[in-house]
Amino acid sequence: VQLQASGGGLVQAGGSLRLSCVASGRYVMGWFRQAPGKEREFVAAISISGGSFHIADSVKGRFTISRDNAKYTAYLQMNALKPEDTAVYFCVGRKFYSDDAVRVDEYDYWGQGTQVTVSS
């Protein structure tokens, strides 16, 4: 399984970025992030059909997750970015969807990270 993330960069507070993740197959896909000196935290995940998803409370209302199965790609649209959103964002995958799957060890597949930096 391969997950290829892209779309990170430097943006001013209040700005937007869209992360993309291309998978080698059809999986539940999601995102975690890790800020310097902090543990990895769940951000969002979406079911294979795209009909179900869950978003972390810390980004709810600002971030949305979607997917295009024809392109084997998931997206994380990040709006109203804050300096505290600065982190390395990791694309993740697993076989089955669950609203409760928010732990690092619940995701079997990990892509490389992409850096998101939000300046104040």
Side-chain angles (χ1 to χ4, degrees):
V1 177
Q2 293 186 338
L3 299 169
Q4 182 71 38
S6 62
L10 173 64
V11 64
Q12 288 189 331
S16 298
L17 279 176
R18 188 177 79 160
L19 305 183
S20 300
C21 179
V22 182
S24 57
R26 289 218 168 96
Y27 306 98
V28 172
M29 295 176 73
W31 299 88
F32 277 71
R33 67 184 182 183
Q34 186 167 22
K38 295 188 176 181
E39 294 185 353
R40 288 188 188 187
E41 65 169 347
F42 172 81
V43 176
I46 188 166
S47 64
I48 293 174
S49 70
S52 298
F53 59 88
H54 57 297
I55 309 284
D57 288 343
S58 58
V59 301
K60 197 170 290 183
R62 299 188 297 120
F63 291 12
T64 58
I65 188 168
S66 61
R67 65 188 298 155
D68 182 341
N69 281 340
K71 298 180 179 179
Y72 293 87
T73 301
Y75 304 98
L76 184 69
Q77 178 67 44
M78 305 184 295
N79 298 328
L81 282 161
K82 304 175 181 180
E84 52 262 44
D85 295 318
T86 294
V88 176
Y89 284 70
F90 296 90
C91 178
V92 298
R94 60 180 295 190
K95 292 181 180 178
F96 302 106
Y97 178 79
S98 169
D99 282 340
D100 298 325
V102 297
R103 298 196 316 264
V104 168
D105 62 0
E106 292 180 302
Y107 288 82
D108 302 307
Y109 315 120
W110 289 75
Q112 92 290 0
T114 185
Q115 177 70 46
V116 172
T117 302
V118 184
S119 63
S120 56

